[in-house]
Amino acid sequence: MDIEAFLEMLAAERGASANTLAAYRRDLLDALGTVSDLREVGGDGVRDYIATLAARGMSPATQSRRVSALRQFFRFLLSEGLRSDDPTIVLDRPKPLRGLPKTLSVEEVGTLLDTARARADREAPPARRLAAARMRALLELLYATGLRVSELLGLPASAATGERPFLIVTGKGGRERLVPLNEDARLSMRAYRALLDERQAGRSPFLFPAASACGHLTRQAFARDLKEVGIEAGISPARLSPHVLRHAFATHLLSGGADLRAVQTLLGHADISTTQIYTHILEERMKTLVQEHHPLGRMR
């Protein structure tokens, strides 16, 4: 099947993650439900399909992603000699209204971490104590490093060994990067690992194993447990997710004066344009600097 061949190419040549491949598969199968033959469809047929997306109430961002998936798929067919043209050349890419990422204030993150620490200290039954220690380690690591949730949950068990003040993380496309660790993150990770070893030493290659015999903790389980801690900390569950803490990491670094290129490296973004969504923070800081230090700003 052409779609599966395309996905195999993405995995082999571009190092696409399982989540990325699943998203492409969903998008292309959706198109296949309307356009019966992707090898033969013309520009009008593709345009008609894209028109149905808006009629189905899909957001501009979703429409843009579907167009992008189709463009890449037809370029693949063209390169493989399975088509002689690219029917998406007639399409205009819908412009998504890109909002600012949700984030938390420094004070809110502090309250969240304090709540997780208090839960880890007071939970007495072994199973609950392990779960609380795990959540504390997850939150300390996530806020200290800004890792993607997939990178965090997929950390190997060996990440908690040794005295290194950094992690070696394999991100998108198989690219490795060094991510510094603060002392709180290192201590919470090691304390959690000690409790884990008491209960299931050597049973999983992952630092955060799933309750089942194999695999690691799922992002859904992490998000659910995070919202529970958030409720106890007085933070609305609607404002809280693992990705929000990644945004908080970047936002607070930039607010504190970090360079955008440094934040790009820490987040593992291949392109600076991805990191530039945070430039509103830099713009606000520049305005404040001018107002506080420029003679005309002080004269008002």
Side-chain angles (χ1 to χ4, degrees), residues 144-166:
T145 63
L147 293 179
R148 297 179 179 91
V149 65
S150 57
E151 295 169 344
L152 174 67
L153 298 179
L155 284 173
S158 59
T161 61
E163 298 296 325
R164 294 179 304 187
F166 58 84

Side-chain angles (χ1 to χ4, degrees), residues 131-154:
R134 180 182 68 188
M135 177 52 66
R136 176 182 177 178
L138 284 164
L139 293 186
E140 297 273 16
L141 279 168
L142 185 52
Y143 184 57
T145 63
L147 293 179
R148 297 179 179 91
V149 65
S150 57
E151 295 169 344
L152 174 67
L153 298 179

Side-chain angles (χ1 to χ4, degrees), residues 141-217:
L141 279 168
L142 185 52
Y143 184 57
T145 63
L147 293 179
R148 297 179 179 91
V149 65
S150 57
E151 295 169 344
L152 174 67
L153 298 179
L155 284 173
S158 59
T161 61
E163 298 296 325
R164 294 179 304 187
F166 58 84
L167 294 173
I168 301 174
V169 178
T170 302
K172 288 186 176 181
R175 293 184 294 270
E176 287 190 345
R177 68 185 191 276
L178 290 180
V179 180
L181 286 175
N182 62 28
E183 190 64 15
D184 285 341
R186 289 174 60 201
L187 290 176
S188 65
M189 184 169 58
R190 280 160 41 188
Y192 155 71
R193 181 58 195 269
L195 288 175
L196 180 66
D197 284 345
E198 287 178 10
R199 295 181 60 83
Q200 45 179 299
R203 283 171 49 185
S204 173
F206 296 106
L207 179 59
F208 301 107
S212 57
C214 61
H216 55 67
L217 184 71

Side-chain angles (χ1 to χ4, degrees), residues 44-64:
D44 289 342
V46 172
R47 190 187 286 111
D48 290 344
Y49 163 68
I50 296 301
T52 68
L53 302 181
R56 287 155 62 186
M58 292 188 181
S59 68
T62 301
Q63 294 177 54
S64 182

